[in-house]
Every structure is written in structure tokens, then in C-alpha cells.
Amino acid sequence: MALGYAHSHAVADGHSMWHFMNSWAECGRGMPISVPPLHDRTLLKIGVASKDSAARFSFGFPEAIKSTEATASQQAERKPSGLAQRVFHFTADMIKKLKGLAAEEDKGGFTSYEVLCAHFWKHITTARKLGDEATLSFAVFVNCRSRLSDPLPPRYFGNAVTMVAAFAAAGKLCSESFAASASRIREAIVKASSEGKFWDMLHWLELHDNLFTGDIMAPWMKIVPMNVASSFRFPVYDVDFGWGKPAAVRTARVTGGEGEMALFPGRSGGGSVDICLSLEADAMERLENDNAFLNF
């Protein structure tokens, strides 16, 4: 049996979505909901929107990108002719090896998330066969619930994430050390984790009908993007409708399109991760034939 669902990210982020799924499964087993959702929207109410706060919000685009118009060729590159989707399984040992590779150059230590993102970003960039000067982005989403000075209760149901991106030129990303690329991901996460950035985003949305549109989005058309959705920390295999834990949890279609990754914990647990990836078909073939991608 396959159970599919769709949800609006404007209504709920991944944390809330899996809260809902586990609550639904409890109802399916005839049990009361163990963690009732909290629908208190006043917790993120900002009152009167501030133009000054809104003006501080940005995705962090390089100045050179913000100051130029997207060319026709750049826009065409954003519309790949055919997509392929694959699932890659990374064991805990593979992730440990990636951490070790990064630690050879930076003793500060990197998280599993940072090294996975850096590894995929570097190898996918090579597989895409981009010019050295192509500007790349890697967007990360950060759950701000526990990062606020007045943290949201874990059972808060809604959307409490913000986004920021790391940027690099293709040639620079491919030639720099693995630790340097992982550091780009880490620095983006630190920026996104700022409480001020989260509230500035809410002010911006309040002044723009709660939509990311217009000038703030235009630079994305001049960039070759990647972004990562979901999290391998979500309790996806706790969802039990009475049939036992799922045999697999996947995205039926990686909704962000070309260059999006969706992360899930591996069913075997122990720190393993399943990565659903959508990529232009030729680039995906080159990635799968890249011996260093899965053997390192």
C-alpha cells in the first residue's frame, strides 16, 4: 500500500507536517492525539509592519547579481528539457568519512547536514558542466522555533522557517577544498539562524501580501540554483497507522524541480540518510557515472 499526500507550505512547514502525520496515524490506531497542535497565530504576530525591518530582509545575493538583468540564455538555462529523479542512500559510515575529509582541512568539525550538502553541491556542479563564471546558489531552510528569544512550543502548528543561500562561482566551488565548500553551507545556516532575520522576513511578507514576488525574487533567474528540503531529523518512520512503520518514505516528485534535494532518515536508522534528487537527465547520468560521488 502507498499513501500519498500533499500540503501547502504556507500552512505548515516540515516540522508541523510530520506532527500532523503522526497525529493522524494515532487516530488511525484508535488512540488519542498525544501532542495536540497549537494553532495560536498571535505567537508570530508582528502588529504594525515596519518598512525599516522589511528593508533589512534579503536572500543575500551577491551585489553583481542584484545589479544586472537576467539574459535570455540565463532564463533558458532555468528551463531544463527533461528531468530525472533518483534516491541515493548514504550510510552513517559514508557520512562519517565525509566529516573526516572536511576535518583534514578544518578541525572545527562539521555537521552531517553541512558535509552532505557540500558533497552534493560540488559533484552536481561538475555534472552540470557549467562555465567557471556561472553563479551558483545553495538555499537552506532553517527551523526557527527554538532559535527565538521566546521559543515557540514544539507543538506549534504552522510555518516557522526562514531561508538563506550560499553563493559561489562554479569554477571556484569545484576547485576549492571540501572544507571550504562545507564552510559556505555553515555560514549560510548561521545567517538564517539569526532571530532578527526571521522577524525581518515576517515584516517583509506583511508588506507584500505574504508573497515572495517582485524585485526580491528576480535575481534567482540569473543563478544556477540548488536547494534542500525536508530533514533527516523528521520522525518519518514513526508514522504507524497500525500496519507497522513504513517500508519507505519518499517524495513522489521533488516539487522544487531541477536541482532540489529532499532529505529523509534512512529506514535502517543509525544515522543513515536517503536523498531524493531531481536533476536534468544528462547531468544525472554524469553524476551517477562519477566514481568519486559514491566512492570516497
Side-chain angles (χ1 to χ4, degrees):
M1 174 184 289
L3 174 64
Y5 58 89
H7 85 293
S8 168
H9 221 303
V11 174
D13 55 22
H15 178 96
S16 290
M17 185 189 72
W18 289 106
H19 179 188
F20 168 78
M21 292 298 293
N22 276 289
S23 298
W24 182 18
E26 288 176 329
C27 293
R29 300 198 306 272
M31 300 172 60
I33 295 176
S34 59
V35 183
L38 178 65
H39 296 284
D40 184 0
R41 290 295 178 267
T42 65
L43 295 175
L44 294 180
K45 187 175 177 62
I46 61 173
V48 179
S50 163
K51 290 184 179 180
D52 290 339
S53 294
R56 289 195 296 266
F57 175 70
S58 76
F59 291 115
F61 295 111
E63 288 299 322
I65 290 294
K66 291 192 293 184
S67 62
T68 59
E69 296 294 327
T71 65
S73 62
Q74 285 173 323
Q75 295 188 40
E77 288 175 1
R78 292 296 305 274
K79 300 175 183 178
S81 57
L83 295 179
Q85 184 168 318
R86 300 287 188 274
V87 178
F88 297 98
H89 179 73
F90 273 57
T91 66
D93 283 343
M94 293 170 72
I95 297 171
K96 184 178 179 180
K97 286 181 181 179
L98 289 177
K99 288 182 176 181
L101 290 173
E104 291 176 1
E105 305 149 7
D106 186 328
K107 303 302 182 184
F110 292 93
T111 66
S112 298
Y113 183 91
E114 290 161 356
V115 297
L116 271 175
C117 289
H119 183 72
F120 271 75
W121 195 18
K122 288 175 77 72
H123 284 273
I124 287 170
T125 298
T126 299
R128 280 169 156 170
K129 287 192 170 183
L130 302 168
D132 286 350
E133 300 306 314
T135 302
L136 314 176
S137 68
F138 194 101
V140 297
F141 295 84
V142 176
N143 182 353
C144 292
R145 284 170 169 77
S146 63
R147 292 177 165 86
L148 303 179
S149 55
D150 188 9
L152 295 175
R155 65 191 186 97
Y156 173 80
F157 190 91
N159 191 344
V161 300
T162 189
M163 184 191 82
V164 74
F167 298 93
K172 177 66 174 176
L173 184 77
C174 291
S175 62
E176 70 185 11
S177 70
F178 183 52
S181 299
S183 292
R184 292 181 188 272
I185 303 296
R186 172 189 286 168
E187 290 165 7
I189 294 171
V190 170
K191 290 178 183 178
S193 300
S194 163
E195 179 176 8
K197 182 176 179 64
F198 178 70
W199 289 109
D200 289 346
M201 178 188 73
L202 294 187
H203 281 273
W204 195 95
L205 287 169
E206 189 72 18
L207 292 173
H208 294 83
D209 297 322
N210 288 307
L211 296 171
F212 284 128
T213 57
D215 292 343
I216 201 166
M217 296 302 291
W220 289 116
M221 295 304 300
K222 295 171 279 185
I223 288 174
V224 183
M226 279 196 67
N227 67 282
V228 59
S230 190
S231 169
F232 50 76
R233 294 186 177 90
F234 289 151
V236 303
Y237 286 103
D238 291 348
V239 179
D240 182 1
F241 286 87
W243 318 314
K245 77 176 186 179
V249 178
R250 300 283 187 267
T251 52
R253 180 171 64 89
V254 180
T255 55
E258 205 270 346
E260 175 156 316
M261 301 161 52
L263 309 180
F264 297 99
R267 190 177 190 274
S268 58
S272 62
V273 179
D274 289 332
I275 302 98
C276 299
L277 173 68
S278 176
L279 204 59
E280 189 271 329
D282 289 344
M284 183 70 83
E285 183 177 359
R286 289 190 289 269
L287 181 67
E288 292 179 304
N289 290 329
D290 177 357
N291 185 60
F293 176 54
L294 295 177
N295 299 285
F296 42 84

